[in-house]
Amino acid sequence: MADRRQMGLAVAAVVVLAGYAILAPLVHPIDEAITDFASGDQGPGAAHWFGTDASGRDLLTLVAKGMRVSLAIAVATAIISTLIGVVVGIAAGAAGGWVDRISMRIAEALTAVPSLLLSLLIVSLFRGSLVAIVISLVLTHWTATARVVRAEVLSVRNAEYVEVARLHGLTATRIARIHFLPVAAGQARVAAVLLVAHAVWHESTLSFLGVGLPPHQASLGTLLADSGQALLLGHWWQLVFPAGAIVAVTLALSALGRSLAGPCREPIA
Amino acid sequence: MIRTRRARIRQLAGRRLLYGVPLVLVVSLATFALAAASPFDPLEAYLGGSGDGFTEAERGALRETLGLNQHWFAAWWHWLTGLFTGDLGYSRTFHEPVAQVLADRLGWTALLGLSASVVAIVLSAALGATAGLKAGGLADRLISGFAVILYAVPPFIVALGSVLLFAVTLRWVPAAGVTDSGDAITAASTLRHLFLPALVLGISQVPPLALGLREAITRAADGDAVRGAQARGLPRRIVQSRHILPMAAAPFFALIGGRLPELLVGATVVETVFAWPGLGDAVVNSARALDFPLLAVVVVLTVVVVVVGNLAADVAAVAADPRIEADG
């Protein structure tokens, strides 16, 4: 029963956060291009609940807009990475032999390169491209899923019902679809949720370092990149609200991932 | 399968190197291929903003002189052979040979990384062991809960938060740099400036290590060796110090080695926040300005460090594993 309650809480937290990201800019729209330095750097108050940034933009709306961008990139990354991970994992587990060896070697090689550095390299070569950001994240994020899915497939590969399907002359792709995919689906679902959290982190770090999204496009990372200077002036709200958004999203999603995975399961990502 | 320690270690080292050398080659090759496929033009980068004053013919001549007309594979080969003669290329952002940039900055990163590792290992060993030996107790729940929450906070936010708390609000330590502006570099001022970045980088690595050690301990406590020791009526302290902790040490060391990529990523971020003049700061600057020669060398260097670090962790894990017999 405790598990159900935990999952309920996690789902509720995700819904609340997504609701804030979607609704805040609709209820209280602002034009990011308009700067009003006279009302810049205001602390949280009745007019601006989260305060304003240096250019006088309302942070309640700006953080929500940043969350939209960060989550959109993260969800795209998670979906593509999971698809690649599931396909590679099933292929490696089902085919074995050289398919398995080569794909696992590639996965291993990608894990040996610190993921952020690889992203730095790609994003700086393809500057300012949203597609490049997603690709750079996908490149390092599919490997964990592939490994987990492969392990799941290996555990049922020689099961009798799979043997029967083979003897009945079912093609490899059909066996993969009706027997391996359902086995992999549970793990893949958990991995996908955790990947969203991971990708939010990763994207925000890239943007924070100044190589991700262009500064005028508010993501949680670009908002935090601005806060470095503001901090020294004591403008704490410019750190606390965007940072709080990242931490809340990560916590909610990893709680959701854990409760999907069931008890006694360590998070993968 | 159990052989002597030395044979195990030799075998592990051989396997890691056999795999590591081609890995480094492939990564560097991929880096050059990627640069060739990208819209990045090394000539524009070389000319900086002043490229407009050149005619097509002059550009062509420059390309020829700089060797930019060669195929990316030839460029890679040229670069690779250059490495062996100590020629790592020229960094545009720092107006210095890449080798010089590395020489200037490697020490700072090593200082930060090693201090942070000490912080991370000491803290996570203490917290993980406390939590694991009394799993389910109050201390365990507090430590595990704290670790799970800290795990959700990206290192750059920990860094910014610690600047806000310790440097801006409490004014205990400086917010950035390695000296107060204008002062000479002394051991005392370096330590004062090192404190916060090393603490932040160390703490950001604690959650996975502490949680991992906690799990290794609970698993070891469930094993046959420990059951046997308990059945023989050995006191709890002896069982803990002679059976449980040694069994948990091997996976803990392997975990530390596996965290090396994350430590390097963390160092990059922490150096940027604290304006620490190490390699991480250099790599971020070179990525912003697309200083390809520097970027390529640092990426390859990082892979080398990760391979060597994993080997060191393997060796430590084998050396610590009580189930492998001593040298014979």
PDB file of all heavy atoms in Angstrom, chain B residues 138-155:
ATOM      1  N   LEU B 138      17.718   4.989  12.643  1.00  0.00           N
ATOM      2  CA  LEU B 138      17.448   6.415  12.434  1.00  0.00           C
ATOM      3  C   LEU B 138      18.559   7.060  11.611  1.00  0.00           C
ATOM      4  O   LEU B 138      18.308   7.777  10.647  1.00  0.00           O
ATOM      5  CB  LEU B 138      17.319   7.113  13.791  1.00  0.00           C
ATOM      6  CG  LEU B 138      17.068   8.628  13.709  1.00  0.00           C
ATOM      7  CD1 LEU B 138      15.707   8.904  13.068  1.00  0.00           C
ATOM      8  CD2 LEU B 138      17.158   9.279  15.075  1.00  0.00           C
ATOM      9  N   ALA B 139      19.857   6.736  11.986  1.00  0.00           N
ATOM     10  CA  ALA B 139      20.990   7.323  11.266  1.00  0.00           C
ATOM     11  C   ALA B 139      20.922   6.933   9.794  1.00  0.00           C
ATOM     12  O   ALA B 139      21.149   7.753   8.903  1.00  0.00           O
ATOM     13  CB  ALA B 139      22.305   6.851  11.879  1.00  0.00           C
ATOM     14  N   ASP B 140      20.599   5.664   9.528  1.00  0.00           N
ATOM     15  CA  ASP B 140      20.503   5.183   8.155  1.00  0.00           C
ATOM     16  C   ASP B 140      19.459   5.972   7.381  1.00  0.00           C
ATOM     17  O   ASP B 140      19.693   6.433   6.269  1.00  0.00           O
ATOM     18  CB  ASP B 140      20.167   3.692   8.151  1.00  0.00           C
ATOM     19  CG  ASP B 140      19.947   3.176   6.741  1.00  0.00           C
ATOM     20  OD1 ASP B 140      20.601   3.701   5.815  1.00  0.00           O
ATOM     21  OD2 ASP B 140      19.136   2.247   6.566  1.00  0.00           O
ATOM     22  N   ARG B 141      18.275   6.153   8.022  1.00  0.00           N
ATOM     23  CA  ARG B 141      17.206   6.843   7.295  1.00  0.00           C
ATOM     24  C   ARG B 141      17.579   8.289   7.013  1.00  0.00           C
ATOM     25  O   ARG B 141      17.306   8.816   5.940  1.00  0.00           O
ATOM     26  CB  ARG B 141      15.888   6.736   8.066  1.00  0.00           C
ATOM     27  CG  ARG B 141      15.091   5.505   7.604  1.00  0.00           C
ATOM     28  CD  ARG B 141      13.828   5.354   8.394  1.00  0.00           C
ATOM     29  NE  ARG B 141      14.139   5.043   9.789  1.00  0.00           N
ATOM     30  CZ  ARG B 141      13.253   5.132  10.775  1.00  0.00           C
ATOM     31  NH1 ARG B 141      12.035   5.551  10.532  1.00  0.00           N
ATOM     32  NH2 ARG B 141      13.601   4.815  12.005  1.00  0.00           N
ATOM     33  N   LEU B 142      18.223   8.934   8.000  1.00  0.00           N
ATOM     34  CA  LEU B 142      18.648  10.326   7.798  1.00  0.00           C
ATOM     35  C   LEU B 142      19.683  10.414   6.671  1.00  0.00           C
ATOM     36  O   LEU B 142      19.553  11.221   5.754  1.00  0.00           O
ATOM     37  CB  LEU B 142      19.247  10.887   9.089  1.00  0.00           C
ATOM     38  CG  LEU B 142      18.242  11.324  10.146  1.00  0.00           C
ATOM     39  CD1 LEU B 142      18.982  11.778  11.408  1.00  0.00           C
ATOM     40  CD2 LEU B 142      17.374  12.464   9.609  1.00  0.00           C
ATOM     41  N   ILE B 143      20.707   9.558   6.757  1.00  0.00           N
ATOM     42  CA  ILE B 143      21.797   9.610   5.777  1.00  0.00           C
ATOM     43  C   ILE B 143      21.274   9.271   4.384  1.00  0.00           C
ATOM     44  O   ILE B 143      21.544   9.981   3.412  1.00  0.00           O
ATOM     45  CB  ILE B 143      22.945   8.656   6.183  1.00  0.00           C
ATOM     46  CG1 ILE B 143      23.625   9.193   7.447  1.00  0.00           C
ATOM     47  CG2 ILE B 143      23.953   8.497   5.050  1.00  0.00           C
ATOM     48  CD1 ILE B 143      24.607   8.243   8.078  1.00  0.00           C
ATOM     49  N   SER B 144      20.495   8.184   4.287  1.00  0.00           N
ATOM     50  CA  SER B 144      19.991   7.781   2.973  1.00  0.00           C
ATOM     51  C   SER B 144      19.076   8.854   2.391  1.00  0.00           C
ATOM     52  O   SER B 144      19.159   9.170   1.199  1.00  0.00           O
ATOM     53  CB  SER B 144      19.240   6.451   3.070  1.00  0.00           C
ATOM     54  OG  SER B 144      20.103   5.453   3.531  1.00  0.00           O
ATOM     55  N   GLY B 145      18.212   9.401   3.224  1.00  0.00           N
ATOM     56  CA  GLY B 145      17.294  10.442   2.746  1.00  0.00           C
ATOM     57  C   GLY B 145      18.060  11.650   2.241  1.00  0.00           C
ATOM     58  O   GLY B 145      17.786  12.167   1.145  1.00  0.00           O
ATOM     59  N   PHE B 146      19.051  12.063   3.017  1.00  0.00           N
ATOM     60  CA  PHE B 146      19.872  13.206   2.624  1.00  0.00           C
ATOM     61  C   PHE B 146      20.599  12.923   1.306  1.00  0.00           C
ATOM     62  O   PHE B 146      20.659  13.759   0.406  1.00  0.00           O
ATOM     63  CB  PHE B 146      20.888  13.493   3.738  1.00  0.00           C
ATOM     64  CG  PHE B 146      21.821  14.623   3.442  1.00  0.00           C
ATOM     65  CD1 PHE B 146      21.359  15.931   3.392  1.00  0.00           C
ATOM     66  CD2 PHE B 146      23.162  14.378   3.193  1.00  0.00           C
ATOM     67  CE1 PHE B 146      22.220  16.966   3.101  1.00  0.00           C
ATOM     68  CE2 PHE B 146      24.032  15.410   2.901  1.00  0.00           C
ATOM     69  CZ  PHE B 146      23.556  16.710   2.854  1.00  0.00           C
ATOM     70  N   ALA B 147      21.127  11.691   1.189  1.00  0.00           N
ATOM     71  CA  ALA B 147      21.875  11.330  -0.020  1.00  0.00           C
ATOM     72  C   ALA B 147      20.971  11.342  -1.245  1.00  0.00           C
ATOM     73  O   ALA B 147      21.365  11.829  -2.310  1.00  0.00           O
ATOM     74  CB  ALA B 147      22.520   9.952   0.153  1.00  0.00           C
ATOM     75  N   VAL B 148      19.740  10.834  -1.094  1.00  0.00           N
ATOM     76  CA  VAL B 148      18.826  10.803  -2.237  1.00  0.00           C
ATOM     77  C   VAL B 148      18.491  12.225  -2.689  1.00  0.00           C
ATOM     78  O   VAL B 148      18.456  12.526  -3.887  1.00  0.00           O
ATOM     79  CB  VAL B 148      17.537  10.019  -1.884  1.00  0.00           C
ATOM     80  CG1 VAL B 148      16.463  10.242  -2.941  1.00  0.00           C
ATOM     81  CG2 VAL B 148      17.852   8.533  -1.773  1.00  0.00           C
ATOM     82  N   ILE B 149      18.285  13.131  -1.724  1.00  0.00           N
ATOM     83  CA  ILE B 149      17.952  14.511  -2.094  1.00  0.00           C
ATOM     84  C   ILE B 149      19.164  15.192  -2.735  1.00  0.00           C
ATOM     85  O   ILE B 149      19.046  15.833  -3.785  1.00  0.00           O
ATOM     86  CB  ILE B 149      17.462  15.295  -0.861  1.00  0.00           C
ATOM     87  CG1 ILE B 149      16.094  14.763  -0.450  1.00  0.00           C
ATOM     88  CG2 ILE B 149      17.373  16.790  -1.169  1.00  0.00           C
ATOM     89  CD1 ILE B 149      15.538  15.365   0.797  1.00  0.00           C
ATOM     90  N   LEU B 150      20.350  14.996  -2.130  1.00  0.00           N
ATOM     91  CA  LEU B 150      21.546  15.639  -2.685  1.00  0.00           C
ATOM     92  C   LEU B 150      21.856  15.112  -4.088  1.00  0.00           C
ATOM     93  O   LEU B 150      22.361  15.840  -4.944  1.00  0.00           O
ATOM     94  CB  LEU B 150      22.745  15.384  -1.762  1.00  0.00           C
ATOM     95  CG  LEU B 150      24.017  16.161  -2.112  1.00  0.00           C
ATOM     96  CD1 LEU B 150      23.777  17.659  -2.036  1.00  0.00           C
ATOM     97  CD2 LEU B 150      25.162  15.762  -1.203  1.00  0.00           C
ATOM     98  N   TYR B 151      21.500  13.837  -4.316  1.00  0.00           N
ATOM     99  CA  TYR B 151      21.712  13.219  -5.613  1.00  0.00           C
ATOM    100  C   TYR B 151      20.930  13.958  -6.702  1.00  0.00           C
ATOM    101  O   TYR B 151      21.306  13.946  -7.875  1.00  0.00           O
ATOM    102  CB  TYR B 151      21.245  11.761  -5.550  1.00  0.00           C
ATOM    103  CG  TYR B 151      22.020  10.803  -6.409  1.00  0.00           C
ATOM    104  CD1 TYR B 151      21.773   9.434  -6.346  1.00  0.00           C
ATOM    105  CD2 TYR B 151      22.991  11.247  -7.293  1.00  0.00           C
ATOM    106  CE1 TYR B 151      22.484   8.538  -7.124  1.00  0.00           C
ATOM    107  CE2 TYR B 151      23.703  10.355  -8.074  1.00  0.00           C
ATOM    108  CZ  TYR B 151      23.448   9.009  -7.991  1.00  0.00           C
ATOM    109  OH  TYR B 151      24.141   8.121  -8.757  1.00  0.00           O
ATOM    110  N   ALA B 152      19.833  14.588  -6.304  1.00  0.00           N
ATOM    111  CA  ALA B 152      18.972  15.259  -7.280  1.00  0.00           C
ATOM    112  C   ALA B 152      19.446  16.676  -7.572  1.00  0.00           C
ATOM    113  O   ALA B 152      18.850  17.364  -8.391  1.00  0.00           O
ATOM    114  CB  ALA B 152      17.534  15.280  -6.778  1.00  0.00           C
ATOM    115  N   VAL B 153      20.493  17.147  -6.896  1.00  0.00           N
ATOM    116  CA  VAL B 153      20.949  18.514  -7.099  1.00  0.00           C
ATOM    117  C   VAL B 153      22.197  18.504  -7.980  1.00  0.00           C
ATOM    118  O   VAL B 153      23.212  17.924  -7.596  1.00  0.00           O
ATOM    119  CB  VAL B 153      21.277  19.190  -5.755  1.00  0.00           C
ATOM    120  CG1 VAL B 153      21.552  20.668  -5.968  1.00  0.00           C
ATOM    121  CG2 VAL B 153      20.151  19.008  -4.773  1.00  0.00           C
ATOM    122  N   PRO B 154      22.134  19.116  -9.176  1.00  0.00           N
ATOM    123  CA  PRO B 154      23.318  19.134 -10.031  1.00  0.00           C
ATOM    124  C   PRO B 154      24.478  19.862  -9.350  1.00  0.00           C
ATOM    125  O   PRO B 154      24.246  20.821  -8.606  1.00  0.00           O
ATOM    126  CB  PRO B 154      22.865  19.917 -11.262  1.00  0.00           C
ATOM    127  CG  PRO B 154      21.384  19.965 -11.196  1.00  0.00           C
ATOM    128  CD  PRO B 154      21.004  19.818  -9.763  1.00  0.00           C
ATOM    129  N   PRO B 155      25.732  19.421  -9.584  1.00  0.00           N
ATOM    130  CA  PRO B 155      26.886  20.031  -8.916  1.00  0.00           C
ATOM    131  C   PRO B 155      26.978  21.539  -9.098  1.00  0.00           C
ATOM    132  O   PRO B 155      27.398  22.236  -8.172  1.00  0.00           O
ATOM    133  CB  PRO B 155      28.083  19.343  -9.596  1.00  0.00           C
ATOM    134  CG  PRO B 155      27.550  18.052 -10.073  1.00  0.00           C
ATOM    135  CD  PRO B 155      26.108  18.261 -10.399  1.00  0.00           C
TER     136      PRO B 155
END
